[in-house]
Amino acid sequence: MVQKLIDWLDERVKIRELYASQMTEYKVPKNLTFPYVFGVLALITFALQVISGIILLMYYKPVIAHAFDSANYTIMKEISFGWLFRHIHAAGANFFLAIVYLHMFTGIYYNAYKKPRELVWIVGWVIYFVLLTTALTGYLLPWGQLSYWGTVVTTEIPASLADAPFLKSIFAAIGETISFWMKGGYKLEDLALGRFFGLHVLFLPLVLMALIGIHLFLVRAAGISNPDGYEIDKKKDTDKVVPFHPYVTLKEGAVAMWYLAIFFFFVFFNMSHFLPADNFEPADPLKTPPHIAPEWYLLGFYEVFRSIPSKFWGFIAFNLILVLLLLLPFLDFSPIKSARRRPLFFIMFIVFMFSSMALTILGTMAPTPTNAKLGMFFTALVFLFFLSLPIISFIEMGWSKIKGGQT
Ligand code: HEM
C-alpha cells in the first residue's frame, strides 16, 4: 500500500529523487558536535508553537472585555485539554528563545557567520528580531497584570529618546510618536490588543515561516560549517563526510526525544515559571504591581538600558548591540574560522558569553547603585567583544601570512 503510494507520487513529483538528494545523498561533515542539534530543536519548537497556537486561537477572544476570561477560564477550565495547549504554548515560547540563544552562541563559537554563510547569519538575525516581536505581542494577549504592565514598560522605552543631550525636541517627537504608535493611543486599550493579536497570530508567524524556509535553503546552499573551521570539499574529502540520513537523523532524533521529555516534564509538572501567579490577576491600569521586569530573554538588553544613567544613551546602547550582532560577519574578517583554532577569539567569546549571562542575572535584581555599576561594567565588556573582533582579525591575518596564506 505504502509502496504503491510512493510509486504514484514518484511518477508525478519524483519523490525518490527528492528524498535521495535531501536525505541519503546529502552529505554533512562527520565531526559535527552536539551543539549543531540546536537548529533542529528550534524547528521542532516552532512546530509545537504553531500547532498549540492554532488550538488556542479557536477559543481566545481579542477584546479587553473577554480576553482574560477566554484565556484563563474558557481555555484553562472549559475546553478539554485546553490547559495542555496553553501550557505547551507558554513553555514553548521560553524554550524557543532559549534554544535560539544556544543556536546563536554555537554559530558565534564556530564562526558559522563567515564566508560563505553571511546570508545564513543575516537571515537568522532577522528571525531573532521577528521572534522577539512575536513573543512581545503574544505576552499582552492574556490581559493579566504582568501582560499589561510588562507591555506598558516596553512601549514606553522609545519615549526615553526625549532624554537626548542634543536635538532634544526632534528626538522627543520621534520617541513619543513610536511609543504612541505601539500603544495605539495614550493608553493600552482594545486597539492595541487587536493589533497585537493580528500581528501575533497571523502576520509574524507567516513571516517567520518564510524566513525559516529561506534560512534552511541558505544552510543547504552554503553547506554546514565545520567545528574544526576547515571547509570540506564534499567531492574530494569523501572520508570526512557522512550521509545526512541515517547518520545525522538518528543522532539528532535521539537528542530530540530527550529534549521533548524535558519539555513535557515542565508542561505537566512545573509551569509556575512560564505562567506566573501574578498574571492570573486581570490587568488593572490603576494598580502597578511591585516587580515589573521584562521576560528573561530581554533582561540583558533591559539591564544595558537601565544601568546607563542617561536613558537616551541606554536606548542607543542596547540597539547598537543588536546592530553589532547583525554586523558580526563583517566585524570578524579573519580568514581563520572556529574558536577551536583561535585562542584570542576564544577568550573574547568567553568574555561575551559570561557578560551576557551576568547582564541577564543583574536584570532580575533591584536597581541599586552597585548593580548599576556592575551593569555598566558588563555592558562595556560586551562592547569590548565586538571591538576586539577587527583587532583579532588583523592579528590573525598577519599569522596566516606567516603560514603562507594557509588558513
Ligand atoms: C526559528 C529559528 C531558527 C531555526 C528553526 C533555525 C534552524 C536552523 C537549522 C536547522 C540549521 C542547520 C543545522 C544547525 O547548524 O543547527 C541552522 C543553521 C544556522 N543558523 Fe539557524 N535557525 C533559527 C534561528 C537562527 C538565528 C536566530 C541565527 C543567528 C542570528 C541563526 C544562525 C544560523 C547559522 C549561522 C547557521 C549555520 C550553522 C553552520 O553552518 O554551522 N539561526 N539553523
Side-chain angles (χ1 to χ4, degrees), residues 308-343:
I308 295 176
S310 149
K311 279 188 175 178
F312 174 78
W313 290 116
F315 182 84
I316 299 291
F318 86 77
N319 279 291
L320 193 59
I321 293 178
L322 274 171
V323 174
L324 289 171
L325 261 181
L326 171 67
L327 297 180
L328 216 51
F330 311 102
L331 289 174
D332 181 4
F333 48 82
S334 160
I336 307 176
K337 288 183 206 160
S338 178
R340 280 189 181 176
R341 295 199 298 137
R342 306 178 67 197

Side-chain angles (χ1 to χ4, degrees), residues 22-48:
Q22 299 304 309
M23 302 293 283
T24 47
E25 278 161 26
Y26 170 62
K27 302 279 173 41
V28 293
K30 68 177 177 193
N31 58 339
L32 291 185
T33 49
F34 175 79
Y36 278 85
V37 77
F38 292 128
V40 169
L41 298 188
L43 266 182
I44 293 174
T45 321
F46 181 65
L48 283 171

Side-chain angles (χ1 to χ4, degrees), residues 9 20 75 95-96 107 125 134 146 176 229 233 250 279 354 403:
L9 280 173
I75 290 174
F95 271 72
F96 202 177
W125 184 91
T134 313
L146 288 185
E176 271 163 32
D233 183 335
L250 278 182
N279 219 26
F354 187 77
K403 282 187 181 171

Side-chain angles (χ1 to χ4, degrees), residues 78-236:
E78 284 190 334
I79 305 298
S80 306
F81 294 104
W83 61 270
L84 177 61
F85 292 103
R86 177 128 190 249
H87 282 196
I88 293 177
H89 206 72
N94 288 276
F95 271 72
F96 202 177
L97 274 143
I99 293 290
V100 164
Y101 275 123
L102 291 170
H103 184 57
M104 287 167 77
F105 276 122
T106 308
I108 298 176
Y109 183 83
Y110 292 122
N111 303 156
Y113 47 77
K114 284 192 183 179
K115 191 182 163 192
R117 298 178 189 84
E118 297 96 322
L119 283 175
V120 181
W121 177 262
I122 291 168
V123 173
W125 184 91
V126 182
I127 292 179
Y128 170 59
F129 196 77
V130 175
L131 201 59
L132 287 181
T133 320
T134 313
L136 201 85
T137 46
Y139 196 57
L140 181 68
L141 302 186
W143 206 251
Q145 271 290 67
L146 288 185
S147 314
Y148 181 85
W149 287 101
T151 312
V152 168
V153 172
T154 324
T155 49
E156 292 291 337
I157 286 177
S160 55
L161 282 174
D163 208 19
F166 46 86
L167 301 174
K168 216 178 177 69
S169 51
I170 296 177
F171 276 116
I174 296 173
E176 271 163 32
T177 311
I178 299 175
S179 189
F180 187 84
W181 179 75
M182 281 170 85
K183 281 187 287 192
Y186 291 105
K187 231 172 109 211
L188 284 173
E189 284 182 336
D190 267 327
L191 196 61
L193 185 60
R195 283 185 187 167
F196 276 43
F197 174 75
L199 288 174
H200 184 77
V201 306
L202 189 71
F203 181 71
L204 295 171
L206 282 181
V207 172
L208 263 181
M209 232 176 264
L211 287 170
I212 292 173
I214 298 172
H215 189 63
L216 296 182
F217 170 79
L218 291 169
V219 172
R220 287 276 159 131
I224 291 194
S225 71
N226 193 297
D228 286 334
Y230 297 99
E231 291 299 325
I232 287 178
D233 183 335
K234 288 180 188 173
K235 294 213 174 81
K236 276 196 219 143

